[in-house]
Amino acid sequence: MSTKRAVRAVVFTDLDATLLDHDSYDWSAAQDALEALKSRGVPVCLCTSKTVAEVRALRRALGNRAPFATENGSIVAVPDGYFEGEFANDSEAEETLTCTTLGAPYDRLRRLVVDLRARHGFDYTGFGDMSVADVMAATGLDREAAAAARQRDASEPLLWQDSAAAETAFAQAVAEAGATTRRGGRFVHVLGLADKGDALDWLRTRFEAVHGPILAVALGDSANDADMLAAADIGWWVARPDGDYEAPAGGHIRHAEGIGPVGWSAAIHAMIEAGEI
Ligand SMILES: [Mg+2]
């Protein structure tokens, strides 16, 4: 059974420290808001630095069947049939995904980091050099999560073991090769030029081709979400664990009252009360 429903709003959200609690990865504070969106037929598209394999597991736990973006917008994934009206939103059926690379394919990035290490003598260890046990040791993830994190499609995390000066030289060499680097908490990530804003634009085009104009709402907590919030019609910063916000509010950018999933829930309820979604 499929019902044709006009999509008025689509939510695009970061995961870590936004929908998921920074420490516990728990989203229970946002559960009522997620249910309110589901009852209104508002899709929630996850946009994260995680891999497709990691997001598949999380979507199952969340009961989420919407398209999503991984590896910081490098990959967009659409369940087969989603935009063709053959899609049952709460189906338990196994789904197949069509993934599109907006950034650069992993093989090319992996060749680049191996080549730059050999040519310049940089000292780093990439996920492609590590076993699942090595990734577990480097990240603190359990075996299943480490195996999923190791299934890269479009970015290579490097455990940086060289100087800050070498990191600057490395970033320049990567830029000259048409890719980019991003400093995360534990790793230096090497990836193509797409960001979460590009992923939102790509998914918006797909939604609008079927449903007409949408209201794109984006929620995030940190620098790698800024492009996504800028590309949205309404962008929300949730507060970070220390209570501060990544950037000021203004224009279509707002501050949600609360940290992580508490702020997420407050933002959704504020829009519902205002009649925006
Ligand atoms: Mg985050």
Side-chain angles (χ1 to χ4, degrees):
M1 188 181 75
S2 71
T3 49
K4 196 153 181 89
R5 183 197 289 272
V7 172
R8 287 186 290 276
V10 179
V11 169
F12 299 87
T13 183
D14 173 48
L15 289 173
D16 291 338
T18 298
L19 179 59
L20 308 181
D21 181 81
H22 177 259
D23 296 312
S24 66
Y25 299 105
D26 181 59
W27 63 83
S28 55
Q31 187 62 42
D32 61 333
L34 285 167
E35 277 160 21
L37 292 174
K38 191 170 190 177
S39 72
R40 283 167 173 73
V42 177
V44 176
C45 299
L46 310 177
C47 296
T48 176
S49 57
K50 294 180 188 297
T51 65
V52 169
E54 289 176 289
V55 175
R56 269 184 190 275
L58 193 68
R59 284 168 82 251
R60 272 197 298 276
L62 280 163
N64 182 302
R65 309 280 289 181
F68 58 98
T70 62
E71 297 185 61
N72 267 310
S74 296
I75 300 284
V76 282
V78 178
D80 289 349
Y82 187 86
F83 289 115
E84 284 79 42
E86 300 159 5
F87 189 77
N89 196 40
D90 51 3
S91 164
E92 293 293 314
E94 197 53 44
E95 63 181 2
T96 52
L97 301 170
T98 296
C99 295
T100 303
T101 304
L102 303 183
Y106 181 79
D107 288 353
R108 203 182 108 207
L109 298 169
R110 180 65 195 160
R111 271 200 306 278
L112 175 64
V113 303
V114 169
D115 177 52
L116 290 177
R117 183 168 56 190
R119 273 201 286 146
H120 299 278
F122 294 128
D123 191 8
Y124 49 72
T125 305
F127 269 32
D129 302 307
M130 297 185 200
S131 65
V132 172
D134 293 335
V135 173
M136 289 168 70
T139 59
L141 296 172
D142 67 25
R143 177 166 294 278
E144 194 181 351
R150 205 170 156 278
Q151 290 178 45
R152 316 300 305 179
D153 294 302
S155 66
E156 174 70 334
L158 306 174
L159 205 50
W160 194 260
Q161 294 146 321
D162 211 322
S163 65
E167 189 180 327
T168 304
F170 174 75
Q172 193 177 334
V174 168
E176 282 164 10
T180 191
T181 57
R182 195 183 289 281
R183 208 356 141 174
R186 289 188 177 88
F187 300 99
V188 173
H189 299 263
V190 179
L191 62 172
L193 299 181
D195 58 41
K196 290 186 183 185
D198 297 312
L200 187 153
D201 288 340
W202 192 94
L203 288 168
R204 182 204 286 272
T205 300
R206 299 297 305 275
F207 275 105
E208 292 190 338
V210 178
H211 299 284
I214 62 163
L215 180 79
V217 176
L219 303 100
D221 75 296
S222 61
N224 66 335
D225 301 314
D227 299 303
M228 179 173 69
L229 267 59
D233 301 305
I234 299 174
W236 290 93
W237 291 116
V238 300
R240 305 181 61 140
D242 64 4
D244 279 346
Y245 294 90
E246 171 66 27
H252 72 285
I253 306 289
R254 306 173 182 177
H255 282 176
E257 269 183 54
I259 294 165
V262 175
W264 204 96
S265 181
I268 299 302
H269 285 301
M271 288 186 293
I272 290 171
E273 274 163 39
E276 291 173 317
I277 60 173

